[in-house]
Amino acid sequence: MNKKITAIILAGGTGERMNKDIPKQFLKLAGKPLILYTLEKFDKNFAVTDLVVVCHEDYLEHLEEIIEKNGRKKSYKVVSGGRTRQESSFIGVKNCPPGTDLVLIHDAARPFVDDRIIGDVIQAADEAGASGPVIETGDTIIVQKGEYIDRIPDRNKLKRIQTPQGFRYDLISRAHQQAIENGIAEASDDCGLVVALGKDVKTIEGSALNIKITDEISLYLAEKYIQLEEIADEE
Ligand code: CTP
Ligand code: MG
């Protein structure tokens, strides 16, 4: 595919739920900053042409240092993030290099994304305009009312959506603009903004491994997984 494909990596959050001194994307995983695993996945992917990293303003220098120290193949732009994920995401879209055909919007806190997911999202976004990776819900999901169960929706219709989410540039730009005009400011996900426009979003198969590091337990599991991979590589 001969297209300009910009990956926007969202690293503008502070990681409240992790409750550490620094935002979770800068914590070390097996000795290496979490965000570096994520950046490398997109840096090494053959289809991605450019990267825009949206970073919390207090960590801009720290991030530049991490990127410079570790070498890179692609052009990076580092920009200061917003108050909400939605704001950071729109800042990323507005800072894409001119001529961008497709964008991938990805959480810095998902270091285990892989080339298969990236490739499938790109293909589906090119075809349908927008796409996102989904997985089954292992647990039954309930709707709660106070401390009680209100109802239990059919689990087969419920899926969990991950990132990267892929879009034609004009479409995601319009979706963000429209969201602001409609007073939507705290959307946790970009595909939702396209759905709100009444446009199609094609789903592709995500991966159970593509977890978002959110709390102490997910951080612990991520570290264990990396250690196991390292052992497997040595054998
Ligand atoms: N994010 C962002 N700008 C914000 C908030 C979040 O770029 N203002 C990014 C985070 O850095 C993260 C991704 O969006 O990579 C997903 O958000 P989440 O997992 O909620 O991270 P945080 O908001 O940092 O964590 P918490 O909600 O626990 O505070
Ligand atoms: Mg958050």
Side-chain angles (χ1 to χ4, degrees), residues 9-19 23-25 54-56 81-89 106-110 163 188 212-215:
I9 310 297
L10 297 180
T14 50
E16 296 298 308
R17 285 168 288 179
M18 186 65 82
N19 205 15
K24 58 189 181 182
Q25 57 272 28
V54 185
C55 178
H56 191 281
R83 203 180 39 82
T84 62
R85 185 191 184 282
Q86 185 185 327
E87 256 182 48
S88 292
S89 174
H106 186 65
D107 298 325
R110 291 186 195 268
T163 71
S188 60
K212 190 172 70 166
I213 313 293
T214 307
D215 52 21

Side-chain angles (χ1 to χ4, degrees), residues 35-127:
I35 191 169
L36 196 52
Y37 291 90
T38 314
L39 292 174
E40 281 174 357
K41 294 285 169 62
F42 289 89
D43 196 306
K44 291 192 175 129
N45 182 276
F46 74 96
V48 171
T49 54
D50 299 82
L51 277 92
V52 172
V53 192
V54 185
C55 178
H56 191 281
E57 62 172 345
D58 296 347
Y59 291 86
L60 288 167
E61 270 175 43
H62 184 56
L63 176 64
E64 300 269 13
E65 232 171 77
I66 290 174
I67 293 172
E68 287 315 316
K69 210 166 88 194
N70 291 280
R72 59 194 166 104
K73 292 212 276 283
K74 297 187 176 150
S75 97
Y76 282 62
K77 184 169 182 185
V78 175
V79 293
S80 187
R83 203 180 39 82
T84 62
R85 185 191 184 282
Q86 185 185 327
E87 256 182 48
S88 292
S89 174
F90 197 16
I91 290 170
V93 169
K94 287 189 279 200
N95 279 281
C96 283
T100 293
D101 298 298
L102 296 173
V103 297
L104 298 171
I105 304 178
H106 186 65
D107 298 325
R110 291 186 195 268
F112 302 134
V113 57
D114 59 38
D115 281 333
R116 199 275 304 158
I117 297 178
I118 296 173
D120 286 357
V121 168
I122 290 173
Q123 206 186 333
D126 189 42
E127 201 181 296

